[in-house]
Amino acid sequence: MDLPKEIQELNDLLRPRWVSGLWNVDHAERPSDPKTRVKPHLWKWHDIYDSLLQARDKISVARGSVERRVIRLVNPGMAETEMTSHTILLSFQLIQPGEVAPAHRHTMAAFRFILQGHGAYTNVDGQKMMMQDGDLILTPQGCWHEHAHEGDENMVWIDGLDVPFVQALHQISFDPYKGRLPVNESIDAATFYGMTRPIGSTIPQAPPLLHYRWQDTYQALQRLARASGNPFDGVALEFVNPATGGSTLPTMSCQVQMLRTNEKTKAHRHTSTSIYHAFRGSGTTLINGQSFHWQKGDTFIVPLWSWHEHANASSTDEAILFSMHDEPILKAFGLYREEAQAGKES
């Protein structure tokens, strides 16, 4: 910024005092609409899965070497940080039969969305949860957790964490666990019986809901598909915390949506960032006028305040998208807003 001589002299005086004048703020840094460095992008499943297989052959999951075999999705606008967005890091993890990803805990909250394989489980604070395709498993902030595989085929899932947000708050911390994480059979039993508990149970309170099973999720989608749909997202459900009625995690909302045959949604935009994974089917998402054609296994990101709409071109097959959003952060600070294509805010 080309400043008059007297202002330059004033700035030179203030600089060593570690103070600065507001006149140095460029008007371009005060946009009328939210801006972000995050760019729309599509990651193809072939590239992701091949990367996992390459890592499988070269990375050994063992204490003292590498604890997790994970491939992170790097947004082209966030190359220097290797993050997927400014608030969420999305990764894919592969674990082989017989492997144990050692237990640890950290200040970042995480979720797992299971994509393929059988026989592996996640243990969160003693709660053992067997993984099935389409299941959503939570690891809230500060919980001890490990992954182990007792099956006979590769297990692959999505890891979503609020790493960049927690990092921006300078709150990153990490603790390794010594040895194997024990399984608390009483918690496991209570979870197995769902919303009931064995008579005589000494559990002081119901354990948190950490495991959302695909069979329940898909049945709910089918029921909603027969009744109605959202004009912007099709048949859409949000995973909720039953204890609070709020979002899945304090910093991340997980959602799943079905696009029925030939369904096309209306365009809208919102101040939250959204990352989508094509769990079933194929389709096209238009982001700020650019078409992204996705198939099963592909992942794409819609940056904040970007116009977007989805379409399922198939006349025979449904399409299902799993997605994660930083909406809870924005709502907590009163920064969330949404706008339809016509210009009417909702």
Side-chain angles (χ1 to χ4, degrees), residues 25-98:
V25 176
D26 192 336
H27 284 287
E29 297 178 7
R30 299 186 292 181
S32 57
D33 286 332
K35 302 294 182 184
T36 180
R37 291 183 298 142
V38 177
K39 296 182 179 180
H41 191 73
L42 174 74
W43 293 267
K44 298 299 294 182
W45 173 246
H46 173 270
D47 294 333
I48 295 170
Y49 191 61
D50 181 68
S51 300
L52 286 170
L53 294 181
Q54 295 291 330
R56 178 198 61 186
D57 297 336
K58 297 176 176 64
I59 302 297
S60 174
V61 177
R63 184 172 295 279
S65 55
V66 176
E67 292 191 349
R68 303 288 193 267
R69 186 186 293 104
V70 168
I71 297 294
R72 300 188 292 181
L73 299 190
V74 178
N75 189 279
M78 308 287 291
E80 73 284 0
T81 63
E82 295 191 345
M83 295 295 172
T84 316
S85 82
H86 60 300
T87 52
I88 299 175
L89 171 64
L90 191 71
S91 306
F92 289 77
Q93 184 166 172
L94 184 149
I95 186 170
Q96 296 185 98

